[in-house]
Amino acid sequence: QVLLVESGGGSVQAGTSLRLSCIASGPSYFRNCMGWFRQAPGKEREGVATISVRGRANVAESVKGRFTISQDNAKNTMYLQMNSLKPYDAAMYYCAADARASCLFLKDAYNYWGQGTQVSVSS
């Protein structure tokens, strides 16, 4: 089984930065793909960024140039660096993991989820 624990959320002003962390435990072959998803009230959960066990990263067009996904395999930790935050970035951010080799943005592709960390952005 895989356990994911997010941290780093908070309430910030627009234009500032936050770094989210996700500490993972469990067999590494169950988390070949890791990803960050977010869900705002009344909206679908959407993919933000993904990264493979080999470090291949991808980010959604909506956050490209502002968000960066990375990982420290020695610490079993994945990060999401969020710069130039906008009010519409406000959401519950979730860490996810899956065994598949091809990393997808679809939430149904991930078997393991963290509890979420709240990000609020004020103007």
Side-chain angles (χ1 to χ4, degrees), residues 15-44:
T16 62
S17 300
L18 279 175
R19 188 180 74 165
L20 307 183
S21 299
C22 174
I23 300 175
S25 61
S28 60
Y29 49 83
F30 283 134
R31 42 187 171 92
N32 289 331
C33 280
M34 301 284 290
W36 288 99
F37 289 75
R38 66 186 184 185
Q39 187 169 21
K43 295 186 177 181
E44 292 272 335

mmCIF file of all heavy atoms in Angstrom, residues 15-44:
data_model
loop_
_atom_site.group_PDB
_atom_site.id
_atom_site.type_symbol
_atom_site.label_atom_id
_atom_site.label_comp_id
_atom_site.label_asym_id
_atom_site.label_seq_id
_atom_site.Cartn_x
_atom_site.Cartn_y
_atom_site.Cartn_z
ATOM 1 N N GLY A 15 0.452 36.782 -6.517
ATOM 2 C CA GLY A 15 1.778 37.173 -6.929
ATOM 3 C C GLY A 15 2.895 36.584 -6.097
ATOM 4 O O GLY A 15 4.068 36.711 -6.463
ATOM 5 N N THR A 16 2.556 35.935 -4.993
ATOM 6 C CA THR A 16 3.563 35.326 -4.132
ATOM 7 C C THR A 16 3.697 33.846 -4.446
ATOM 8 O O THR A 16 3.089 33.339 -5.380
ATOM 9 C CB THR A 16 3.232 35.544 -2.650
ATOM 10 O OG1 THR A 16 1.976 34.922 -2.337
ATOM 11 C CG2 THR A 16 3.133 37.031 -2.355
ATOM 12 N N SER A 17 4.490 33.147 -3.649
ATOM 13 C CA SER A 17 4.826 31.759 -3.934
ATOM 14 C C SER A 17 4.550 30.844 -2.755
ATOM 15 O O SER A 17 4.529 31.265 -1.600
ATOM 16 C CB SER A 17 6.310 31.639 -4.310
ATOM 17 O OG SER A 17 6.625 32.395 -5.452
ATOM 18 N N LEU A 18 4.345 29.576 -3.071
ATOM 19 C CA LEU A 18 4.231 28.511 -2.096
ATOM 20 C C LEU A 18 4.929 27.275 -2.647
ATOM 21 O O LEU A 18 4.997 27.093 -3.862
ATOM 22 C CB LEU A 18 2.774 28.152 -1.806
ATOM 23 C CG LEU A 18 1.966 29.014 -0.840
ATOM 24 C CD1 LEU A 18 0.518 28.528 -0.831
ATOM 25 C CD2 LEU A 18 2.555 28.968 0.550
ATOM 26 N N ARG A 19 5.425 26.442 -1.758
ATOM 27 C CA ARG A 19 5.958 25.154 -2.162
ATOM 28 C C ARG A 19 5.239 24.059 -1.402
ATOM 29 O O ARG A 19 5.285 24.011 -0.172
ATOM 30 C CB ARG A 19 7.468 25.044 -1.913
ATOM 31 C CG ARG A 19 8.065 23.771 -2.522
ATOM 32 C CD ARG A 19 9.554 23.643 -2.298
ATOM 33 N NE ARG A 19 9.874 23.292 -0.918
ATOM 34 C CZ ARG A 19 11.057 22.846 -0.520
ATOM 35 N NH1 ARG A 19 12.041 22.702 -1.407
ATOM 36 N NH2 ARG A 19 11.259 22.566 0.759
ATOM 37 N N LEU A 20 4.582 23.185 -2.140
ATOM 38 C CA LEU A 20 3.896 22.048 -1.555
ATOM 39 C C LEU A 20 4.821 20.840 -1.538
ATOM 40 O O LEU A 20 5.635 20.659 -2.439
ATOM 41 C CB LEU A 20 2.631 21.706 -2.340
ATOM 42 C CG LEU A 20 1.623 22.842 -2.579
ATOM 43 C CD1 LEU A 20 0.394 22.304 -3.297
ATOM 44 C CD2 LEU A 20 1.247 23.508 -1.267
ATOM 45 N N SER A 21 4.669 20.015 -0.520
ATOM 46 C CA SER A 21 5.454 18.798 -0.401
ATOM 47 C C SER A 21 4.536 17.603 -0.247
ATOM 48 O O SER A 21 3.457 17.704 0.335
ATOM 49 C CB SER A 21 6.394 18.864 0.808
ATOM 50 O OG SER A 21 7.312 19.926 0.689
ATOM 51 N N CYS A 22 4.965 16.474 -0.773
ATOM 52 C CA CYS A 22 4.239 15.222 -0.633
ATOM 53 C C CYS A 22 5.234 14.139 -0.258
ATOM 54 O O CYS A 22 6.119 13.804 -1.054
ATOM 55 C CB CYS A 22 3.518 14.866 -1.928
ATOM 56 S SG CYS A 22 2.732 13.235 -1.926
ATOM 57 N N ILE A 23 5.096 13.620 0.939
ATOM 58 C CA ILE A 23 5.963 12.540 1.400
ATOM 59 C C ILE A 23 5.264 11.216 1.129
ATOM 60 O O ILE A 23 4.131 11.004 1.563
ATOM 61 C CB ILE A 23 6.289 12.687 2.893
ATOM 62 C CG1 ILE A 23 6.998 14.019 3.156
ATOM 63 C CG2 ILE A 23 7.157 11.525 3.359
ATOM 64 C CD1 ILE A 23 7.252 14.296 4.625
ATOM 65 N N ALA A 24 5.947 10.335 0.420
ATOM 66 C CA ALA A 24 5.373 9.063 0.019
ATOM 67 C C ALA A 24 6.034 7.906 0.747
ATOM 68 O O ALA A 24 7.237 7.918 1.007
ATOM 69 C CB ALA A 24 5.514 8.861 -1.488
ATOM 70 N N SER A 25 5.238 6.894 1.052
ATOM 71 C CA SER A 25 5.756 5.662 1.614
ATOM 72 C C SER A 25 5.080 4.486 0.923
ATOM 73 O O SER A 25 4.007 4.632 0.337
ATOM 74 C CB SER A 25 5.536 5.598 3.127
ATOM 75 O OG SER A 25 4.154 5.636 3.440
ATOM 76 N N GLY A 26 5.703 3.319 0.989
ATOM 77 C CA GLY A 26 5.187 2.154 0.314
ATOM 78 C C GLY A 26 6.072 1.771 -0.866
ATOM 79 O O GLY A 26 6.997 2.494 -1.219
ATOM 80 N N PRO A 27 5.776 0.632 -1.508
ATOM 81 C CA PRO A 27 6.609 0.156 -2.614
ATOM 82 C C PRO A 27 6.714 1.177 -3.732
ATOM 83 O O PRO A 27 5.715 1.744 -4.176
ATOM 84 C CB PRO A 27 5.881 -1.107 -3.076
ATOM 85 C CG PRO A 27 5.111 -1.571 -1.878
ATOM 86 C CD PRO A 27 4.687 -0.307 -1.186
ATOM 87 N N SER A 28 7.916 1.380 -4.204
ATOM 88 C CA SER A 28 8.134 2.372 -5.242
ATOM 89 C C SER A 28 7.467 1.989 -6.555
ATOM 90 O O SER A 28 7.107 2.868 -7.347
ATOM 91 C CB SER A 28 9.633 2.592 -5.456
ATOM 92 O OG SER A 28 10.275 1.392 -5.839
ATOM 93 N N TYR A 29 7.278 0.690 -6.805
ATOM 94 C CA TYR A 29 6.659 0.269 -8.051
ATOM 95 C C TYR A 29 5.164 0.553 -8.096
ATOM 96 O O TYR A 29 4.539 0.402 -9.146
ATOM 97 C CB TYR A 29 6.923 -1.216 -8.332
ATOM 98 C CG TYR A 29 6.649 -2.157 -7.185
ATOM 99 C CD1 TYR A 29 5.365 -2.619 -6.914
ATOM 100 C CD2 TYR A 29 7.689 -2.611 -6.375
ATOM 101 C CE1 TYR A 29 5.122 -3.488 -5.871
ATOM 102 C CE2 TYR A 29 7.456 -3.482 -5.326
ATOM 103 C CZ TYR A 29 6.166 -3.921 -5.078
ATOM 104 O OH TYR A 29 5.922 -4.791 -4.040
ATOM 105 N N PHE A 30 4.587 0.949 -6.975
ATOM 106 C CA PHE A 30 3.193 1.382 -6.951
ATOM 107 C C PHE A 30 3.065 2.886 -7.147
ATOM 108 O O PHE A 30 1.957 3.416 -7.173
ATOM 109 C CB PHE A 30 2.513 0.990 -5.642
ATOM 110 C CG PHE A 30 2.125 -0.453 -5.567
ATOM 111 C CD1 PHE A 30 2.403 -1.202 -4.439
ATOM 112 C CD2 PHE A 30 1.480 -1.071 -6.623
ATOM 113 C CE1 PHE A 30 2.049 -2.540 -4.356
ATOM 114 C CE2 PHE A 30 1.119 -2.403 -6.560
ATOM 115 C CZ PHE A 30 1.403 -3.134 -5.420
ATOM 116 N N ARG A 31 4.182 3.552 -7.276
ATOM 117 C CA ARG A 31 4.177 4.988 -7.477
ATOM 118 C C ARG A 31 5.186 5.400 -8.538
ATOM 119 O O ARG A 31 6.005 6.299 -8.325
ATOM 120 C CB ARG A 31 4.410 5.722 -6.157
ATOM 121 C CG ARG A 31 5.480 5.124 -5.248
ATOM 122 C CD ARG A 31 5.498 5.845 -3.905
ATOM 123 N NE ARG A 31 6.359 5.180 -2.936
ATOM 124 C CZ ARG A 31 7.644 5.455 -2.746
ATOM 125 N NH1 ARG A 31 8.243 6.399 -3.485
ATOM 126 N NH2 ARG A 31 8.350 4.803 -1.835
ATOM 127 N N ASN A 32 5.120 4.712 -9.676
ATOM 128 C CA ASN A 32 5.963 5.072 -10.809
ATOM 129 C C ASN A 32 5.630 6.465 -11.327
ATOM 130 O O ASN A 32 6.499 7.162 -11.851
ATOM 131 C CB ASN A 32 5.815 4.057 -11.941
ATOM 132 C CG ASN A 32 6.453 2.724 -11.625
ATOM 133 O OD1 ASN A 32 7.427 2.650 -10.877
ATOM 134 N ND2 ASN A 32 5.912 1.663 -12.200
ATOM 135 N N CYS A 33 4.368 6.832 -11.188
ATOM 136 C CA CYS A 33 3.911 8.158 -11.547
ATOM 137 C C CYS A 33 3.383 8.873 -10.313
ATOM 138 O O CYS A 33 2.634 8.301 -9.530
ATOM 139 C CB CYS A 33 2.813 8.109 -12.599
ATOM 140 S SG CYS A 33 3.408 7.880 -14.279
ATOM 141 N N MET A 34 3.779 10.099 -10.167
ATOM 142 C CA MET A 34 3.279 10.951 -9.110
ATOM 143 C C MET A 34 2.690 12.198 -9.744
ATOM 144 O O MET A 34 3.142 12.634 -10.804
ATOM 145 C CB MET A 34 4.393 11.351 -8.147
ATOM 146 C CG MET A 34 5.089 10.188 -7.461
ATOM 147 S SD MET A 34 4.088 9.476 -6.125
ATOM 148 C CE MET A 34 4.152 10.800 -4.918
ATOM 149 N N GLY A 35 1.688 12.761 -9.096
ATOM 150 C CA GLY A 35 1.073 13.936 -9.667
ATOM 151 C C GLY A 35 0.432 14.830 -8.629
ATOM 152 O O GLY A 35 0.163 14.414 -7.502
ATOM 153 N N TRP A 36 0.222 16.057 -9.024
ATOM 154 C CA TRP A 36 -0.519 17.023 -8.228
ATOM 155 C C TRP A 36 -1.828 17.347 -8.931
ATOM 156 O O TRP A 36 -1.838 17.647 -10.128
ATOM 157 C CB TRP A 36 0.273 18.313 -8.019
ATOM 158 C CG TRP A 36 1.431 18.175 -7.080
ATOM 159 C CD1 TRP A 36 2.742 18.001 -7.398
ATOM 160 C CD2 TRP A 36 1.362 18.201 -5.648
ATOM 161 N NE1 TRP A 36 3.502 17.924 -6.258
ATOM 162 C CE2 TRP A 36 2.685 18.046 -5.167
ATOM 163 C CE3 TRP A 36 0.330 18.354 -4.727
ATOM 164 C CZ2 TRP A 36 2.989 18.037 -3.806
ATOM 165 C CZ3 TRP A 36 0.628 18.332 -3.378
ATOM 166 C CH2 TRP A 36 1.949 18.179 -2.930
ATOM 167 N N PHE A 37 -2.908 17.280 -8.195
ATOM 168 C CA PHE A 37 -4.226 17.645 -8.679
ATOM 169 C C PHE A 37 -4.794 18.723 -7.777
ATOM 170 O O PHE A 37 -4.384 18.867 -6.626
ATOM 171 C CB PHE A 37 -5.161 16.436 -8.691
ATOM 172 C CG PHE A 37 -4.833 15.414 -9.744
ATOM 173 C CD1 PHE A 37 -3.747 14.565 -9.591
ATOM 174 C CD2 PHE A 37 -5.609 15.300 -10.884
ATOM 175 C CE1 PHE A 37 -3.436 13.620 -10.552
ATOM 176 C CE2 PHE A 37 -5.316 14.354 -11.853
ATOM 177 C CZ PHE A 37 -4.232 13.522 -11.692
ATOM 178 N N ARG A 38 -5.752 19.461 -8.303
ATOM 179 C CA ARG A 38 -6.403 20.462 -7.477
ATOM 180 C C ARG A 38 -7.897 20.471 -7.752
ATOM 181 O O ARG A 38 -8.345 20.137 -8.838
ATOM 182 C CB ARG A 38 -5.816 21.855 -7.714
ATOM 183 C CG ARG A 38 -6.060 22.435 -9.104
ATOM 184 C CD ARG A 38 -5.302 23.749 -9.257
ATOM 185 N NE ARG A 38 -5.557 24.390 -10.524
ATOM 186 C CZ ARG A 38 -4.954 25.492 -10.938
ATOM 187 N NH1 ARG A 38 -4.037 26.079 -10.168
ATOM 188 N NH2 ARG A 38 -5.253 26.014 -12.112
ATOM 189 N N GLN A 39 -8.648 20.856 -6.740
ATOM 190 C CA GLN A 39 -10.090 20.906 -6.868
ATOM 191 C C GLN A 39 -10.631 22.104 -6.104
ATOM 192 O O GLN A 39 -10.471 22.195 -4.889
ATOM 193 C CB GLN A 39 -10.732 19.618 -6.354
ATOM 194 C CG GLN A 39 -12.229 19.537 -6.603
ATOM 195 C CD GLN A 39 -12.785 18.158 -6.319
ATOM 196 O OE1 GLN A 39 -12.180 17.374 -5.596
ATOM 197 N NE2 GLN A 39 -13.931 17.856 -6.884
ATOM 198 N N ALA A 40 -11.254 23.000 -6.835
ATOM 199 C CA ALA A 40 -11.916 24.148 -6.245
ATOM 200 C C ALA A 40 -13.376 23.796 -5.995
ATOM 201 O O ALA A 40 -13.923 22.903 -6.647
ATOM 202 C CB ALA A 40 -11.807 25.358 -7.161
ATOM 203 N N PRO A 41 -14.031 24.483 -5.066
ATOM 204 C CA PRO A 41 -15.437 24.192 -4.784
ATOM 205 C C PRO A 41 -16.299 24.273 -6.031
ATOM 206 O O PRO A 41 -16.222 25.235 -6.793
ATOM 207 C CB PRO A 41 -15.823 25.277 -3.777
ATOM 208 C CG PRO A 41 -14.539 25.617 -3.096
ATOM 209 C CD PRO A 41 -13.497 25.524 -4.176
ATOM 210 N N GLY A 42 -17.108 23.237 -6.253
ATOM 211 C CA GLY A 42 -18.005 23.209 -7.389
ATOM 212 C C GLY A 42 -17.359 22.859 -8.711
ATOM 213 O O GLY A 42 -18.031 22.901 -9.743
ATOM 214 N N LYS A 43 -16.078 22.522 -8.701
ATOM 215 C CA LYS A 43 -15.379 22.198 -9.934
ATOM 216 C C LYS A 43 -14.815 20.787 -9.903
ATOM 217 O O LYS A 43 -14.668 20.186 -8.846
ATOM 218 C CB LYS A 43 -14.244 23.194 -10.187
ATOM 219 C CG LYS A 43 -14.697 24.620 -10.435
ATOM 220 C CD LYS A 43 -13.534 25.505 -10.820
ATOM 221 C CE LYS A 43 -13.994 26.916 -11.138
ATOM 222 N NZ LYS A 43 -12.847 27.787 -11.531
ATOM 223 N N GLU A 44 -14.518 20.267 -11.089
ATOM 224 C CA GLU A 44 -13.899 18.957 -11.211
ATOM 225 C C GLU A 44 -12.459 19.001 -10.736
ATOM 226 O O GLU A 44 -11.779 20.023 -10.845
ATOM 227 C CB GLU A 44 -13.938 18.490 -12.666
ATOM 228 C CG GLU A 44 -15.318 18.178 -13.208
ATOM 229 C CD GLU A 44 -15.730 16.753 -12.944
ATOM 230 O OE1 GLU A 44 -14.848 15.898 -12.784
ATOM 231 O OE2 GLU A 44 -16.936 16.493 -12.891
#
